[in-house]
Amino acid sequence: SSVHDFVAAYMKTSKTSSKSSAYNALIEIPSHSVCPASVPISIARACASLVAVCCGTDIDTEFRPAIRVQRSSDLALTCVFGVAFRMDLWGNSPEGFILILQELTLRYGNVPGGQILRRQIPIQTFLDYIRSAGTLEHSTEYPEIADGLTDILQHMLLASLSHRKDIRMAERDIAACMGALSDSPLGSLMAHMVLNSLLNILEWCNNSSPS
């Protein structure tokens, strides 16, 4: 029925309204309706292993330029955005997504990793990925999922806030976070990510400032 609803919405809007209104009608379809009911855990483990192999070892990248190059390679980024962040695949499979997120957080939940991801996509795009997270926030894995995504968002924000040549990039990213927060109820995955990322950054700034 989700496919039927999608086609019906598209046909209706394509005949009667502009492209922008058609797009708005299509994104109103609940994201969890296009997610598989579940993904076999064996497939999730295989995908987690794929992330680990394509994105390099999980050691700190601060002093290993070769690892940073590997994590920013076309292969690694295709794996990240083509498999790991496909919420239309993992949205109803929190037990599988957490396996993948653990591998992602080890590699991109740090300063170099945040810089790599932020060079590829704006914060708005990352938030849009998570906005279609289906039923993840109703699962027992929710706390760990929320904390892992917070680590990634926090370090992507740090990358834009510390950019010396483009202040507007940070302004756009903060505006995207504020917009996502205003659209999300307290206690939701999105609210948890944005609030805790900003709080962690403020705490980091406080600890880093000269006394």
Side-chain angles (χ1 to χ4, degrees):
S1 60
S2 61
V3 175
H4 174 75
D5 294 340
F6 184 93
V7 174
Y10 176 80
M11 294 300 294
K12 179 180 179 180
T13 53
S14 63
K15 292 178 180 179
T16 60
S17 58
S18 64
K19 290 183 179 179
S20 60
S21 60
Y23 174 77
N24 290 335
L26 290 177
I27 63 174
E28 288 176 0
I29 298 174
S31 59
H32 59 79
S33 66
V34 299
C35 302
S38 65
V39 177
I41 196 66
S42 58
I43 293 179
R45 290 195 184 100
C47 289
S49 297
L50 183 65
V51 171
V53 171
C54 293
C55 301
T57 179
D58 59 357
I59 64 171
D60 191 354
T61 61
E62 290 283 359
F63 307 106
R64 293 290 299 273
I67 301 298
R68 297 187 65 173
V69 169
Q70 184 177 9
R71 291 187 189 172
S72 59
S73 67
D74 289 343
L75 179 61
L77 295 174
T78 298
C79 184
V80 170
F81 297 115
V83 177
F85 284 144
R86 289 298 301 271
M87 290 304 180
D88 55 342
L89 175 62
W90 305 111
N92 289 332
S93 302
E95 67 284 349
F97 180 64
I98 190 61
L99 298 177
I100 294 172
L101 183 59
Q102 288 168 350
E103 301 294 343
L104 284 177
T105 305
L106 287 172
R107 292 159 176 81
Y108 297 99
N110 48 51
V111 172
Q115 292 171 345
I116 291 170
L117 293 182
R118 183 57 190 84
R119 283 198 295 265
Q120 301 301 315
I121 59 171
I123 295 294
Q124 182 65 65
T125 302
F126 178 74
L127 295 175
D128 288 341
Y129 280 138
I130 308 307
R131 201 186 304 276
S132 58
T135 60
L136 293 182
E137 61 189 30
H138 305 297
S139 66
T140 56
E141 291 84 0
Y142 168 72
E144 191 173 355
I145 289 175
D147 289 344
L149 291 173
T150 296
D151 282 343
I152 294 175
L153 176 60
Q154 173 188 337
H155 288 93
M156 290 179 68
L157 280 171
L158 281 173
S160 59
L161 289 169
S162 60
H163 200 288
R164 298 181 179 180
K165 297 183 180 180
D166 191 354
I167 297 177
R168 291 185 178 180
M169 174 172 35
E171 293 175 346
R172 290 192 297 269
D173 286 349
I174 293 298
C177 288
M178 293 299 98
L181 186 60
S182 65
D183 292 338
S184 305
L186 291 177
S188 66
L189 177 60
M190 186 67 69
H192 179 105
M193 286 172 50
V194 173
L195 284 174
N196 283 281
S197 294
L198 295 176
L199 288 173
N200 291 342
I201 289 173
L202 290 174
E203 182 179 357
W204 177 83
C205 292
N206 183 58
N207 293 335
S208 301
S209 62
S211 55

